[in-house]
Amino acid sequence: MSRKDILQSLESSPFKGPALPDFNFGVKNPTNLLERFIASAKASASHILETNDFNDLTAKYSRVINLSNQINYKGLFLDGINSPFELNDIDLLVIDGAFGVAENGAIWVNTDVLPFRVLPFIAEHLVICIKKENLVANMHDAYAKIQSDDYGFGVFIAGPSKTADIEQSLVIGAQGPRSLGILF
Amino acid sequence: MRVGLFIPCYIDQFYPEVGIATYELLIKLGYDVTAPMSATCCGQPMANSGFEGEAKKVYHHFVDDFAEFDAIVMPSGSCTMHVKEHYTNINQTKDVRHVRTNTYDLVEFLIKHGVKKLPKVELKAKVALHTGCHSLRGLGIGHPSELYGQPTSALRQILNHVKGLEFVDLDRPDECCGFGGTFAVTQEAISVKMGQDKVEDVKRTGAEILVSNDMSCLMHIEGILRKQGEKIKIMHIAQILSPVAEHP
Amino acid sequence: MTNHPKNAEEFIKDTDRVDWHDAALWHVRQKRDIAVDTVPEWEELRNIAAQIKAHTLANLRSYLLDFEQNAMANGVEVHWAKDAEAHNQIVLEILQRNNVKKIVKSKSMLTEECGLNPFLEGRDFEITDTDLGERIIQMRQEPPSHIVLPAIHIKKEEVGDLFRKELGAEPGNNDPAYLTNQARIHLREKFLQCDAAITGVNFGVADTGEVVVCTNEGNADLGVHLAPITIHSMGIEKLVPRQKDLAVFIRLLARSATGQPITIYTSHHKKTAKGAEKHIVLVDNGRSKRLAMEKYRSSLQCIRCGACMNTCPIYRRSGGHSYHFTIPGPIGSILAPATDLKAYSDLPFASTLCGSCGDVCPVKIDIPNQLYLWRQEIAEAGALEGKRKSMKAASKLLASPRSYRNFGWLMRLGLRFMPNFLIINRYNVWTKGRDLPKPPKQSFKDWYKKNQR
């Protein structure tokens, strides 16, 4: 009922709008991508990890799940888990990111490669591995890349979960991961 | 160039010295200046209250008074913006279009025509600047802090020609002072609070004079300064460029 | 009847709180300015965003149909709700069909607009708002006072008291980090028990059928990816035509809202997960009607960043609740009268028309001009009849030079110029917080008559 009403209502008073604009803010030959990406990532409280740091992290936590193909670390396995509700006690999750965005430090994660979409949100701490050559300058370049990505769910993750809902005081670790480590 | 000088109603009645300074300045710059005796108001107070229809008579009156001039100049960005932007509900005759296109706030006019030939004046004082919101964002006099790029002040650009001035920066140079025409009365509490906050900002800078291109903002701010017993002076930019006696 | 000036006067009595509120929001505005200055093409992006939105609105019917088709191809069930009641009914049916008891909801001004929470609570569902700020105001049984910072009017001590009462938090500890962690523990429990998740939608993409949800806390994703049933409630104006258009809006949104270059999570919900069920409810609720109002059409371009609130000198000093409408601040003041002209006839006047809201708006809605136009509409509709007489009188006076001259002389004499002129018989209002100007002996015109050259 509503569908017909809404469509009819939209039809009843047509008006002309502007043409759909085209734009091109992609960056042709980006420079200093790594430097800029790291600066943006740090600004939103991500940690850039060296191999040592990563080893420290995995030593610190007991329940570590590694789903990254880029790093050699045997953690616990998710075998036998059938429901996302059973994933609440992961200390550290390691996954691969597709690429990073220099202007904002965000990393594109296509969760289709993960057994559960909730994983990068429910783990207490998150490490994302990306390759240095997989960086783009800005969101226009990012969406140009995503266009060919066939995902069911995909997300830009730009840091650890955070909030400033109490008196505008920034608190890291709101509902999702309390830290985000980025490993090249 | 024949310039029609419009002195808004509240300046005519309360701050004649601002009208005089504006008049003298334009004369010094070599313009043929006339201030029509029959001029009254631009109609903004009615229109901003929602009674644009009732203001039509005033619009016609304004156009009749000023259509004969090459340029219409007024020491008020707010009235200027009203004439330019809101005289849309009357027949757009040749006269109406002429008036709307050729009406300028004094600062806008000086930047367009006269900055280079400004009279030499000197004033030793610490000054803070306030560009009226309708001038800044409505007429584009200066570059507001909301838009990309360095904010700039047209007032500063002009006052740089005055010897002896020391400029101090407000923390929030673009923040509205809270006058807002009828808002000053219908939303008295907020209006006064905004004015008090502006005054606090000015006090923090140690400024001796607050200079603006919009006398209505200054009337409101002065009201608060005086209520607080503050000695900080308010001056219209015309009074600095063309010093005349106070309260003649 | 509640009205903005009265509410504002009440809010302003607590000077410390007003100053704090003003400073907190001004700080957000400053962070926005810094973020804007990192993007040289900012003004161009705003122009393009405005054009994309205007184009989409003009072709909304066909984009909605595209969106529906593509979403369905993704395995999503698409519903249409012409008003709030239809929306709530659709949600209810989905929940009942799946035997849902416990719902987690992430931020959605649309469900606020539809009154979904009270509707479901009245039918014995447990619905938990999971954004921290939203959870705080839900516990306090208050509406949000800001669309991005819903609890910006509340001090940490008040949150501390609330969490002690509701969550058993330790007494005397009002540290935001501690309180946030208490909420995290509490909300994690809610997530782990939920049967369904409801989210708002920042953008719907016509050519892919996906919806994009932006959060910082990660609460929307925890809900959606845990719950077997997801409902995305989406206003029909949220569409963009192409996926690549998202780049423009994502770049503008968080920078305008909080000064971040992007929210922590920008989630693209496209296909339904295995074993789960996904619904999108497209809601009109007055939007198509507003689309037909030429003067106010562009208000539908709004992407709910809240920048107009943070910059508004009136909002900062009167608080969101003073607007008594779901969406407060400048954008709310032009949206509200379209829903009920009489009830919200005060809101377009809650502004000095300073224009700052228009300049920060990432999609270039001409808010100041629409405030002005609504004022005319409201006067026209007879909602201000008390004022018409004085306005008529003022008009007559100001169209006649002779009576104006006489009146001016009287006014200077009587020192009552401003107030008398502004609203007859309430002249003492001006002088409550301000002195009147010193009356000069002669007007400019008196001087000019004698001294003109």
Side-chain angles (χ1 to χ4, degrees):
Chain A
M1 223 57 79
S2 275
R3 184 176 186 275
K4 212 177 109 206
D5 288 343
I6 294 171
L7 292 175
Q8 220 157 43
S9 173
L10 291 173
E11 225 170 5
S12 64
S13 42
F15 59 94
K16 266 195 102 65
L20 184 58
D22 217 350
F23 50 88
N24 188 8
F25 295 107
V27 182
K28 266 211 182 106
N29 298 304
T31 50
N32 301 331
L33 280 182
L34 182 63
E35 207 177 295
R36 280 162 52 211
F37 175 82
I38 288 174
S40 301
K42 282 183 175 167
S44 72
S46 301
H47 301 293
I48 307 299
L49 302 180
E50 302 295 332
T51 314
N52 284 348
D53 305 323
F54 181 74
N55 293 340
D56 290 350
L57 271 183
T58 49
K60 190 167 157 191
Y61 298 117
S62 53
R63 295 170 182 279
V64 181
I65 307 287
N66 178 24
L67 299 170
S68 163
N69 294 316
Q70 288 175 42
I71 193 134
N72 229 336
Y73 177 84
K74 245 202 185 86
L76 301 174
F77 295 100
L78 289 173
D79 300 349
I81 290 183
N82 299 312
S83 153
F85 288 107
E86 296 165 37
L87 297 167
N88 191 40
D89 54 359
I90 301 171
D91 290 329
L92 177 67
L93 174 75
V94 187
I95 57 172
D96 286 334
F99 62 89
V101 187
E103 74 162 320
N104 53 28
I107 298 170
W108 176 251
V109 175
N110 176 343
T111 61
D112 291 5
V113 298
L114 306 177
F116 298 98
R117 288 179 181 180
V118 80
L119 277 166
F121 306 99
I122 204 167
E124 284 288 293
H125 300 272
L126 180 64
V127 169
I128 306 181
C129 308
I130 49 171
K131 295 203 173 93
K132 277 179 187 161
E133 58 268 30
N134 287 341
L135 293 175
V136 298
N138 62 27
M139 291 303 285
H140 305 285
D141 297 320
Y143 278 104
K145 273 197 141 186
I146 291 173
Q147 207 144 40
S148 54
D149 194 1
D150 181 32
Y151 55 89
F153 172 77
V155 56
F156 286 105
I157 298 179
S161 136
K162 65 175 170 184
T163 185
D165 274 348
I166 300 175
E167 283 204 5
Q168 278 296 289
S169 302
L170 179 67
V171 178
I172 307 287
Q175 317 258 354
R178 296 176 190 270
S179 74
L180 173 66
I182 299 171
L183 190 62
F184 288 103
Chain B
M1 185 193 276
R2 290 197 65 226
V3 170
L5 174 63
F6 172 65
I7 298 303
C9 36
Y10 65 95
I11 297 184
D12 178 36
Q13 297 298 332
F14 272 129
Y15 298 100
E17 64 273 20
V18 173
I20 297 165
T22 309
Y23 177 73
E24 299 284 3
L25 176 64
L26 291 170
I27 293 279
K28 274 182 218 159
L29 292 173
Y31 294 104
D32 173 5
V33 188
T34 308
M37 287 306 285
S38 51
T40 58
C41 172
C42 70
Q44 182 175 205
M46 282 145 275
N48 281 5
S49 303
F51 294 89
E52 194 175 60
E54 302 295 341
K56 277 185 191 171
K57 261 188 260 171
V58 184
Y59 295 174
H60 284 299
H61 181 77
F62 184 93
V63 172
D64 288 347
D65 277 341
F66 288 99
E68 61 175 293
F69 298 101
D70 302 319
I72 300 116
V73 178
M74 45 183 88
S76 163
S78 194
C79 304
T80 305
M81 180 187 152
H82 193 75
V83 173
K84 279 180 168 322
E85 301 283 317
H86 292 303
Y87 276 29
T88 48
N89 63 339
I90 52 174
N91 227 345
Q92 296 299 298
T93 59
K94 204 168 145 249
D95 281 354
V96 171
R97 277 180 287 133
H98 172 79
V99 165
R100 288 182 61 195
T101 331
N102 294 289
T103 293
Y104 302 94
D105 166 72
L106 175 66
V107 168
E108 192 184 17
F109 185 77
L110 291 178
I111 286 180
K112 202 164 172 207
H113 296 290
V115 176
K116 289 214 174 82
K117 36 181 192 171
L118 283 175
K120 282 204 178 5
V121 280
E122 197 177 334
L123 177 66
K124 270 209 162 45
K126 229 184 201 187
V127 295
L129 307 178
H130 173 76
T131 307
C133 296
H134 288 169
S135 313
L136 182 68
R137 304 192 190 87
L139 300 174
I141 301 177
H143 187 82
S145 57
E146 291 90 354
L147 301 179
Y148 176 84
Q150 244 344 80
T152 57
S153 158
L155 271 59
R156 175 75 182 262
Q157 189 191 334
I158 288 173
L159 290 175
N160 274 336
H161 295 259
V162 177
K163 255 185 147 178
L165 289 183
E166 183 195 334
F167 298 97
V168 290
D169 293 324
L170 297 180
D171 285 349
R172 303 182 186 181
D174 297 356
E175 177 99 323
C176 177
C177 70
F179 173 65
T182 49
F183 180 89
V185 178
T186 54
Q187 290 259 5
E188 188 266 343
I190 297 260
S191 171
V192 168
K193 176 69 176 139
M194 286 166 72
Q196 288 168 341
D197 290 350
K198 179 60 79 183
V199 162
E200 283 311 307
D201 201 355
V202 176
K203 282 200 248 177
R204 246 193 313 272
T205 63
E208 297 155 287
I209 307 171
L210 177 67
V211 183
S212 178
N213 65 325
D214 214 309
M215 212 52 215
S216 59
C217 307
L218 288 178
M219 174 168 64
H220 163 72
I221 295 168
E222 186 191 33
I224 285 161
L225 283 167
R226 298 299 158 261
K227 191 101 186 173
Q228 294 183 356
E230 276 294 331
K231 292 282 170 274
I232 298 168
K233 268 179 76 170
I234 53 127
M235 281 177 93
H236 190 274
I237 189 164
Q239 291 172 282
I240 294 193
L241 298 172
S242 173
V244 291
E246 202 174 323
H247 283 326
Chain C
M1 198 182 89
T2 172
N3 69 59
H4 187 270
K6 247 192 220 148
N7 299 343
E9 204 178 330
E10 205 48 50
F11 187 79
I12 228 159
K13 277 184 186 153
D14 187 346
T15 309
D16 288 345
R17 187 184 290 261
V18 174
D19 288 345
W20 178 84
H21 190 262
D22 168 62
L25 288 161
W26 180 254
H27 181 62
V28 181
R29 157 74 209 276
Q30 285 179 307
K31 286 196 290 184
R32 172 231 172 246
D33 291 354
I34 292 166
V36 164
D37 277 344
T38 63
V39 184
E41 61 269 35
W42 183 260
E43 300 303 333
E44 239 179 302
L45 284 175
R46 289 175 71 215
N47 281 329
I48 285 171
Q51 276 173 49
I52 293 172
K53 280 285 184 181
H55 166 85
T56 312
L57 291 173
N59 301 280
L60 194 54
R61 188 179 179 278
S62 81
Y63 282 125
L64 279 170
L65 291 173
D66 288 352
F67 176 77
E68 178 189 41
Q69 196 179 359
N70 291 321
M72 278 160 57
N74 291 333
V76 179
E77 233 181 277
V78 179
H79 310 260
W80 301 69
K82 65 175 173 184
D83 52 24
E85 203 190 327
H87 167 265
N88 294 350
Q89 208 57 45
I90 289 166
V91 172
L92 178 67
E93 272 163 34
I94 297 168
L95 299 177
Q96 282 176 338
R97 196 199 314 152
N98 290 285
N99 207 15
V100 168
K101 295 272 175 307
K102 294 180 175 182
I103 306 144
V104 287
K105 188 173 111 241
S106 62
K107 193 141 67 202
S108 153
M109 289 314 295
L110 177 60
T111 58
E112 198 70 42
E113 174 188 324
C114 292
L116 182 67
N117 278 21
F119 175 83
L120 290 179
E121 279 157 1
R123 284 160 182 79
D124 284 336
F125 289 92
E126 181 195 283
I127 181 157
T128 306
D129 281 317
T130 57
D131 171 84
L132 173 58
E134 294 261 293
R135 186 67 187 128
I136 291 169
I137 57 160
Q138 189 186 24
M139 285 177 177
R140 284 168 61 104
Q141 300 180 315
E142 279 181 352
S145 73
H146 188 290
I147 60 174
V148 174
L149 320 162
I152 188 68
H153 60 294
I154 300 165
K155 307 286 285 244
K156 61 183 178 196
E157 290 78 16
E158 294 167 301
V159 178
D161 287 344
L162 183 71
F163 282 10
R164 272 185 281 291
K165 206 175 97 209
E166 300 283 339
L167 306 177
E170 66 189 43
N173 194 343
N174 299 324
D175 174 25
Y178 167 76
L179 295 172
T180 299
N181 199 46
Q182 292 303 109
R184 177 191 173 100
I185 295 164
H186 158 73
L187 287 165
R188 189 55 74 93
E189 246 171 70
K190 296 287 177 196
F191 282 123
L192 293 174
Q193 294 167 2
C194 73
D195 306 313
I198 299 177
T199 82
V201 169
N202 291 93
F203 307 100
V205 184
D207 74 354
T208 60
E210 72 197 307
V211 294
V212 176
V213 180
C214 306
T215 71
N216 278 323
E217 298 182 10
N219 56 315
D221 289 289
L222 277 167
V224 169
H225 305 311
L226 283 170
I229 315 287
T230 294
I231 303 169
H232 301 291
S233 290
M234 169 179 163
I236 54 172
E237 83 283 19
K238 293 284 172 197
L239 277 190
V240 297
R242 306 161 294 198
Q243 190 188 48
K244 73 173 201 173
D245 297 327
L246 288 173
V248 174
F249 291 98
I250 299 294
R251 295 184 84 193
L252 290 168
L253 177 63
R255 286 186 174 95
S256 298
T258 59
Q260 295 169 268
I262 187 169
T263 49
I264 298 299
Y265 302 106
T266 306
S267 300
H268 299 58
H269 303 271
K270 203 196 263 175
K271 297 176 195 162
T272 309
K274 231 198 280 160
E277 209 178 295
K278 195 185 264 313
H279 301 264
I280 294 172
V281 189
L282 293 165
V283 184
D284 184 337
N285 203 32
R287 286 162 177 75
S288 60
K289 216 173 96 200
R290 194 169 321 134
L291 213 50
M293 304 165 91
E294 195 186 344
K295 288 186 268 186
Y296 309 112
R297 185 176 289 156
S298 69
S299 61
L300 285 167
Q301 291 174 195
C302 178
I303 57 172
R304 303 287 190 264
C305 69
C308 62
M309 291 159 210
N310 306 337
T311 204
C312 179
I314 286 96
Y315 174 89
R316 275 187 264 113
R317 291 172 180 83
S318 65
H321 290 158
S322 66
Y323 293 82
H324 59 98
F325 183 65
T326 320
I327 312 254
I331 182 68
S333 297
I334 62 171
L335 292 174
T339 67
D340 187 339
L341 190 78
K342 219 167 165 190
Y344 301 113
S345 63
D346 54 327
L347 294 184
F349 293 92
S351 164
T352 56
L353 304 179
C354 80
S356 187
C357 49
D359 278 0
V360 294
C361 179
V363 288
K364 299 192 86 163
I365 302 169
D366 57 341
I367 303 175
N369 190 46
Q370 291 190 34
L371 288 167
Y372 177 85
L373 293 172
W374 274 119
R375 292 180 182 190
Q376 312 308 323
E377 204 114 350
I378 286 161
E380 196 92 331
L384 309 167
E385 279 317 292
K387 272 192 176 171
R388 185 175 293 278
K389 234 171 127 185
S390 63
M391 288 297 159
K392 257 203 162 76
S395 174
K396 207 170 156 197
L397 177 82
L398 294 167
S400 152
R402 179 195 289 271
S403 46
Y404 165 76
R405 259 197 311 279
N406 295 336
F407 189 60
W409 178 78
L410 263 174
M411 284 184 297
R412 276 199 314 287
L413 205 71
L415 257 185
R416 297 205 301 258
F417 171 72
M418 275 307 301
N420 259 335
F421 175 56
L422 293 171
I423 33 172
I424 309 258
N425 288 333
R426 281 178 61 190
Y427 52 83
N428 51 358
V429 175
W430 175 271
T431 52
K432 254 169 88 182
R434 289 162 290 218
D435 274 359
L436 281 161
K438 281 179 264 170
K441 286 192 205 76
Q442 57 178 348
S443 70
F444 168 76
K445 280 189 183 140
D446 296 337
W447 175 90
Y448 183 78
K449 243 187 289 181
K450 288 173 257 165
N451 297 286
Q452 65 174 298
R453 278 162 287 190

